[in-house]
Amino acid sequence: MKIWFDHDALLGRGGFAYVFKGKFGGREVAVKRVELLEVDEREEEAMLKLEHPNIVKLFHCEKDNHFMYYALELCVASLDQVFLKSDNPKKYKGPTPRQIKVFSQLASGLEHIHSERLIHRDIKPSNILIMKSPGKNEEIIIKWSDFGLAKSVNEKGLHSWSGVKGTRTWYAPEVLEKLIKEEKAKEEELWGTVKSDVFVLGLVFGYLFLEGEHLYGSGETEIHKNISERNPVNMQKIDEKLRKYYEDDLLRKMLEHDPKKRITSKEVVEQLESINDKLTKKEEELRQLCARNSSSGLIEKIKDLIQLGIDVNAKDTIGRNALHYLCRSNSNSNLTDAIRLFIQLGIDVNAKDKFGWNAFHLLCQNYSNSNLIDAIRLFIQLGIDVNAKNIFGSNALHLLCLNYSNPNLIDAIRLFIQLGIPVVSDVYDARSF
């Protein structure tokens, strides 16, 4: 066999399939093993048909006398593992992209599925996988998986009805109606639609906003009742500012009860692009907030903007992020608290602009804050490269000495010397300033 797997490295199981860690063609893969009697050719056909960065790739399949084996892209976790309790050994504790990025990747993948005239029919958090891309940057990519219930649709996005498919708490209302009432009164009710996928994608978005809770309640009976009554009971738990961006413009359109009025997966992609444009403007607002030196409520204002899911590492045209702006205008009395907050939020403390300046350089060049020593010590604790130079060859000590009116200058220089920062560089001598 070309596919090899480790029987002791079980990644998951479900129904008639087991997933193991293995190898194919020199790369690590996930090997899905399915009993031959239970093989659904639709899954293989669907995965061979789908080629998209947000869909798990099928590399190869082969069989023996008992099983079919699929070599698939290896992922590190499924979305539901993100929200397991901290003491659960299966909990995923690694990084995840920002919400808008997760949403956009999922929507893009689903649009591709629908563009290939397929309906997924089994959308749920456990069928959404998290993959780390190869390379030192380890980009996190969200992938659709498990196409065992996928089915072809006609040019109108409809498929013939052959019973309720999927997981019982992740149903669109039209699917739920067929489950509960078992109605087959009208001929048109014998047809399903790709828009059922869109409704359940909306449930997944809500699940992410609510950190593992279902938009329509808890427990199958309550969820079914609230979906039927058009009552997303947990919508109000989503932060008000987030709802401002997502609820009316996107979520309610995805959760429209009537599939004929519900937006398409393509329209979801377009709507997310519009939301992302709004968030990009908020990223500029964050940088300008840090540049204004407003001591009143700075921390709270930063938190409010971050709550929207903006990219804390977003840069301006010369490559400066919010921490650069904060340290360039460092008279704020909350400077060290703001630096700590940005680090907690995952900002790159060593990020440089196109001239080689990091936030530490700007702090030292423009110091006017009485907390200068505390800020320097904090940066050092955070792992800043104290010897970093800009493109002109200046390090933080050189820049500190450019403006020597600060009463803490001597203490700051002593601190630098203790750290072993060079007093002389190839270009400048700090003593010459």
Side-chain angles (χ1 to χ4, degrees):
M1 286 180 60
K2 295 181 180 179
I3 297 174
W4 173 89
F5 66 94
D6 183 351
H7 288 81
D8 296 322
L10 182 65
L11 298 176
R13 60 187 297 181
F16 300 95
Y18 287 77
V19 181
F20 302 91
K21 191 171 183 179
K23 288 188 177 181
F24 170 73
R27 74 164 74 208
E28 290 190 331
V29 296
V31 179
K32 184 173 182 178
R33 188 188 71 182
V34 184
E35 295 177 29
L36 283 180
L37 293 176
E38 303 300 333
V39 168
D40 189 334
E41 293 181 358
R42 291 178 303 182
E43 180 172 22
E44 183 181 331
E45 290 171 1
M47 296 197 71
L48 289 171
K49 190 176 184 180
L50 298 169
E51 183 71 32
H52 190 275
N54 299 116
I55 296 173
V56 170
K57 184 175 180 61
L58 172 63
F59 297 116
H60 179 68
C61 54
E62 58 186 79
K63 63 183 177 180
D64 58 21
N65 293 331
H66 305 286
F67 299 102
M68 176 70 78
Y69 302 90
Y70 302 94
L72 304 162
E73 275 185 311
L74 180 64
C75 295
V76 295
S78 54
L79 199 60
D80 59 317
Q81 290 177 257
V82 174
F83 302 111
L84 294 175
K85 292 183 179 180
S86 58
D87 60 350
N88 191 317
K90 293 185 178 181
K91 180 177 175 62
Y92 172 68
K93 298 180 180 179
T96 53
R98 293 179 301 124
Q99 285 176 336
I100 185 66
K101 195 167 183 180
V102 173
F103 296 161
S104 297
Q105 290 185 17
L106 287 175
S108 178
L110 188 62
E111 181 192 12
H112 179 72
I113 293 168
H114 292 172
S115 73
E116 293 292 337
R117 293 189 180 180
L118 291 169
I119 180 172
H120 190 287
R121 293 205 301 172
D122 198 16
I123 291 175
K124 55 185 176 181
S126 60
N127 283 343
I128 297 168
L129 302 185
I130 301 168
M131 193 193 89
K132 288 184 179 179
S133 65
K136 63 179 181 179
N137 293 328
E138 287 195 337
E139 180 187 3
I140 303 298
I141 305 171
I142 308 301
K143 302 259 185 179
W144 287 110
S145 73
D146 205 329
F147 292 86
L149 297 181
K151 193 168 185 178
S152 297
V153 297
N154 63 22
E155 66 279 359
K156 295 181 180 179
L158 301 175
H159 66 89
S160 59
W161 192 263
S162 57
V164 174
K165 304 294 183 182
T167 303
R168 296 176 72 90
T169 52
W170 300 91
Y171 283 156
E174 61 272 18
V175 179
L176 183 59
E177 183 178 355
K178 291 177 173 64
L179 170 71
I180 295 173
K181 298 182 179 180
E182 297 181 355
E183 287 186 352
K184 293 184 179 180
K186 297 179 181 178
E187 185 176 348
E188 58 265 30
E189 287 186 347
L190 294 173
W191 292 92
T193 167
V194 291
K195 289 188 178 180
S196 299
D197 278 352
V198 173
F199 184 95
V200 186
L201 180 60
L203 296 183
V204 171
F205 286 2
Y207 175 86
L208 286 166
F209 280 131
L210 295 166
E211 298 184 348
E213 285 190 72
H214 198 289
L215 264 175
Y216 285 83
S218 59
E220 183 178 314
T221 302
E222 181 185 2
I223 290 170
H224 287 181
K225 177 176 180 292
N226 287 329
I227 289 178
S228 297
E229 295 177 356
R230 312 183 189 196
N231 180 25
V233 65
N234 286 330
M235 184 74 79
Q236 294 305 309
K237 290 184 180 181
I238 299 174
D239 182 86
E240 183 179 353
K241 295 182 179 65
L242 282 174
R243 293 206 313 274
K244 175 185 175 184
Y245 279 82
Y246 289 94
E247 184 176 5
D248 291 333
D249 288 343
L250 181 63
L251 283 179
R252 292 199 180 278
K253 294 177 182 177
M254 296 175 74
L255 300 172
E256 166 61 49
H257 197 83
D258 184 350
K260 293 179 181 178
K261 297 178 181 178
R262 194 178 302 149
I263 61 175
T264 64
S265 54
K266 182 179 180 180
E267 289 169 329
V268 173
V269 171
E270 293 169 351
Q271 200 69 52
L272 284 167
E273 289 172 354
S274 174
I275 292 171
N276 191 54
D277 289 342
K278 294 177 183 177
L279 293 179
T280 299
K281 292 178 182 178
K282 288 295 178 180
E283 291 163 356
E284 173 62 21
E285 187 177 323
L286 175 64
R287 291 191 292 269
Q288 294 306 316
L289 171 68
C290 292
R292 287 198 296 266
N293 297 328
S294 172
S295 60
S296 176
L298 175 65
I299 302 298
E300 289 71 23
K301 291 175 182 176
I302 292 173
K303 287 180 178 178
D304 284 345
L305 285 169
I306 295 300
Q307 184 64 34
L308 297 174
I310 64 175
D311 183 2
V312 70
N313 280 300
K315 298 179 178 180
D316 64 10
T317 54
I318 65 169
R320 291 185 176 178
N321 62 25
L323 189 58
H324 284 103
Y325 276 80
L326 179 73
C327 292
R328 186 183 69 175
S329 305
N330 61 52
S331 64
N332 194 290
S333 60
N334 294 320
L335 175 65
T336 53
D337 289 337
I339 293 172
R340 284 193 183 92
L341 176 59
F342 276 127
I343 299 303
Q344 290 169 7
L345 294 167
I347 204 163
D348 181 1
V349 69
N350 283 301
K352 292 184 176 183
D353 66 16
K354 69 178 184 179
F355 303 110
W357 293 70
N358 63 24
F360 196 40
H361 291 140
L362 292 168
L363 174 76
C364 292
Q365 186 199 38
N366 300 293
Y367 67 85
S368 57
N369 194 303
S370 60
N371 295 326
L372 175 64
I373 301 297
D374 290 339
I376 290 174
R377 290 187 186 279
L378 177 58
F379 267 116
I380 292 165
Q381 291 170 8
L382 295 169
I384 193 79
D385 181 3
V386 295
N387 293 308
K389 298 176 183 179
N390 61 23
I391 62 173
F392 308 108
S394 299
N395 63 27
L397 180 57
H398 299 130
L399 298 166
L400 181 75
C401 293
L402 276 172
N403 298 300
Y404 48 84
S405 61
N406 192 291
N408 293 322
L409 177 64
I410 301 300
D411 291 335
I413 292 174
R414 285 196 181 100
L415 179 56
F416 276 124
I417 300 301
Q418 290 170 9
L419 292 167
I421 193 170
V423 176
V424 180
S425 75
D426 295 337
V427 180
Y428 293 123
D429 183 333
R431 293 170 296 184
S432 68
F433 288 102

